[in-house]
Each structure stands twice: as structure tokens, then as C-alpha cells.
Amino acid sequence: MTDEQYVDGLYGEDADLARTKKGIAEKGMPDISISDGYGRLLTMLVQLAGAKNVLEIGALGGYSGICLARGLGEGGQLTSLELKSEYADVALAHMKEAGFGEAVEYVIGDAKESLAQLKEEGRRFDFFFIDADKDGYPVYLDYAIQLANPGAVIVGDNVLLRGRTINPEKGGPAVLSVRAFNERIASDERLTSTVLPGYDGLAIAIVK
Ligand code: DHB
Ligand code: MG
């Protein structure tokens, strides 16, 4: 048993999240939702930050959307960018079943274009969750910093790429992009940050 499996075993089944995982599998979508432990952390971080406007980059089937929405107070809003309209439909159905249908808006299309549009509109966010294509992580981080209210939190999933990040024999575009993302998370003077190495790695930063 891994440390992560031990920790996950401390928690009982979560009906909304279990239904969401089942729905994702039944639709033939990939089993790559955020880990249970980091999902719990997302809820806590959104709540601790007092975030009113949360931006998610990569919705998949709504698992992380539920975790993020759980941390929102009354009137809080989640904006979720998703490339595939079929995935956004599944995510919205799961969000509705969990009671968060009113708290979420999906923006369909290439996230880089959606981010440029949000910037154009002058939109600002208190919390960012980056979990889309790994090649895009450096650009998503750039946009998050530009769209951030002071004190905003930026979280990035999968920064260890199941071992590829630290494997010197790996050097594809996703690996190079995630390494660059991690190095910038750690060294950018506009950020206070840490990287958690459990599960598949999670980067957490606060925009000063
Ligand atoms: C994988 C996991 C993820 O959480 C993700 O966002 C993308 C890929 C994976 O394990 O392949
Ligand atoms: Mg992920």
C-alpha cells in the first residue's frame, strides 16, 4: 500500500465524486481526474482564499469542478475552460447533480484563445486551477498571473508527469513544458510557492 492509498482509505466514499467518476468511465473518458487527496485540498484552498471567482483550465468530467465549487461561498462563481464541448456537457451534468449547476459557466474552445478573450474583457480571478494539456502549462501560468487579483492562488496538477518530469531520458514537449512551468513556479519573484510531490505532484503559488 502506498502512503497515498493509506491516506485515501481514511475517508469514506463521497457520493457526488463517486457518481462523477462512474459517469466519466461510462462515457469512455480518460480516468485522469485530480487525485482524491488533492481534490480535498482544492476545496480547502478555495475556502481559505475566500475566492469569489475561480478559473479552471481543463474541465474533463467535472470532478475537480465539484471540489473547487465546494470551497466557494454564497454567490461564488467557477469559470471552466474546456476544449471539448462533449466533456463540458458531461462536466455540467455532474456539477448539476452535485448541486453546483448555477455556480459554473463553461467556455468551450482552445484555452489559449479563451484566456486571451478573458484578458480582453478585463476579467480577474482569485483562484486558478491549471489541469489541461501539459504543453500549455507555461502559457497558462503566464495568463494566470496576468488575470490574477492580488493574493490570488494558482494551482497546477500533474507536475511530476508520473515520473517523466525527473527522468533525464524524457524530453518531449509536455515534459519540457512542465519542467519550465515548475522552474518558473519556484523562481518567479511575483510568486510565493511550493510544490507537493505526493500523488502526481501539485504546484501551489500565491501571486504577491
Ligand atoms: C494524466 C493525469 C492527469 O491528471 C492529467 O491532467 C493529464 C494526464 C495522466 O496520468 O496521464
Ligand atoms: Mg490532471
Side-chain angles (χ1 to χ4, degrees):
M1 178 162 63
T2 65
D3 291 346
E4 285 90 345
Q5 285 164 344
Y6 165 73
V7 170
D8 288 337
L10 297 172
Y11 294 84
E13 183 175 90
D14 181 309
D16 289 323
L17 295 177
R19 188 191 318 108
T20 298
K21 280 214 163 158
K22 189 161 172 276
I24 288 171
E26 283 170 1
K27 295 278 182 202
M29 293 163 65
D31 180 20
I32 56 167
S33 298
I34 191 170
S35 64
D36 295 341
Y38 287 160
R40 288 186 286 269
L41 182 60
L42 284 184
T43 302
M44 294 170 68
L45 290 173
V46 170
Q47 185 179 335
L48 283 167
K52 300 259 183 293
N53 291 292
V54 175
L55 182 66
E56 172 178 64
I57 306 172
L60 193 66
Y63 183 104
S64 54
I66 291 171
C67 298
L68 293 164
R70 283 177 173 172
L72 288 169
E74 192 69 27
Q77 195 69 26
L78 170 65
T79 301
S80 183
L81 311 186
E82 174 52 52
L83 179 62
K84 300 183 178 181
S85 63
E86 316 91 81
Y87 284 12
D89 291 345
V90 173
L92 177 58
H94 290 142
M95 289 289 281
K96 283 183 177 166
E97 286 174 331
F100 297 117
E102 300 297 309
V104 65
E105 61 162 341
Y106 289 95
V107 180
I108 313 302
D110 185 312
K112 287 172 191 149
E113 289 170 23
S114 301
L115 287 160
Q117 180 72 29
L118 291 168
K119 188 180 163 197
E120 180 95 2
E121 292 167 4
R123 295 274 298 269
R124 291 290 179 273
F125 298 88
D126 312 303
F127 196 104
F128 300 83
F129 178 51
I130 300 171
D131 195 19
D133 62 292
K134 307 313 165 198
D135 304 20
Y137 269 37
V139 175
Y140 301 148
L141 178 57
D142 262 341
Y143 271 111
I145 293 170
Q146 292 175 57
L147 296 174
N149 285 321
V153 177
I154 301 173
V155 177
D157 190 28
N158 310 110
V159 298
L160 296 181
L161 295 174
R162 292 194 270 142
R164 286 182 290 147
T165 301
I166 64 163
N167 183 343
E169 287 167 19
K170 301 286 180 183
V175 171
L176 294 180
S177 292
V178 167
R179 284 181 192 146
F181 173 90
N182 291 339
E183 284 156 24
R184 194 121 63 72
I185 284 280
S187 64
D188 193 308
E189 291 185 350
R190 296 168 292 181
L191 304 175
T192 305
S193 74
T194 192
V195 178
L196 305 182
Y199 299 97
D200 196 24
L202 195 80
I204 307 175
I206 297 175
V207 182
K208 288 177 187 161

